[in-house]
Amino acid sequence: MINPLRGGPPRGGLRRAVLRAPVALYRMGLGGLLGGRMVLLTHTGRVSGQPRQVVLEVVERGREPGSLLIASGYGGRSQWFRNVLATPRVRYQVGRRRYTGTAVPLPPEESGRRLAGYADRHPRLAARLMKAVGHGPRTAADYRALGADRCHGVPLVELRPDTTGH
């Protein structure tokens, strides 16, 4: 089910360019075209201290307005994930709405439970996304294990907006 040796974040080439294309849309002011399913996350590089950006799928909306759940498809191998663990203060944009807030990794058990819930609500999409990042979960227990594994799985992170406004 979990294969830490397969795949990994693309370091260059066409695959990276395709995955980075939504960042360009946001930078051109066209993030609204991506609707509410994608989020532009601006985080701080843990080594450089410079702002970094990535576009990720929204797994689910939180209970509080502006709160979002996102997944690290490459777990601890994702640069953005490693960066928010080091510096959780972030900015993020969904469509045209912009927020400043905090990235909070979910505890392993909750992360696993919520990833399994996502797979239950969107089985085909979840299966395709997991395959794209080198995983092949088949059961709810497989998804729970993936979500709970911060290193080689697909841990979830909640983006929580500041309560003082956007």
Side-chain angles (χ1 to χ4, degrees):
M1 177 204 49
I2 297 174
N3 184 350
L5 301 176
R6 182 169 178 227
R11 299 266 183 225
L14 181 60
R15 185 166 175 232
R16 179 173 168 81
V18 168
L19 291 174
R20 300 286 301 164
V23 172
L25 285 175
Y26 270 102
R27 287 180 180 167
M28 291 186 295
L30 301 173
L33 295 175
L34 299 174
R37 298 226 7 138
M38 306 300 276
V39 58
L40 173 69
L41 176 65
T42 303
H43 52 95
T44 302
R46 67 192 176 286
V47 175
S48 70
Q50 297 299 307
R52 303 289 183 216
Q53 294 183 311
V54 63
V55 173
L56 302 160
E57 181 182 359
V58 174
V59 172
E60 76 183 50
R61 303 224 180 276
R63 292 183 185 103
E64 300 299 319
S67 176
L68 304 172
L69 203 59
I70 56 176
S72 178
Y74 294 107
R77 297 169 292 168
S78 292
Q79 296 300 316
W80 75 263
F81 184 71
R82 295 168 70 189
N83 288 341
V84 300
L85 289 177
T87 306
R89 293 294 301 156
V90 297
R91 288 177 289 136
Y92 57 103
Q93 181 179 345
V94 179
R96 291 182 176 87
R97 301 221 40 172
R98 297 171 190 254
Y99 302 91
T100 298
T102 306
V104 180
L106 296 184
E109 186 176 302
E110 182 180 357
S111 181
R113 181 180 56 77
R114 292 181 69 181
L115 185 64
Y118 173 77
D120 187 51
R121 289 187 309 278
H122 307 284
R124 288 188 199 142
L125 181 58
R128 280 196 308 264
L129 290 172
M130 293 302 110
K131 183 178 179 184
V133 295
H135 299 291
R138 290 187 165 79
T139 67
D142 291 345
Y143 280 99
R144 282 192 300 276
L146 272 175
D149 183 348
R150 251 192 206 184
C151 271
H152 302 293
V154 182
L156 301 181
V157 174
E158 185 174 5
L159 300 178
R160 296 178 182 164
D162 292 341
T163 57
T164 57
H166 313 304

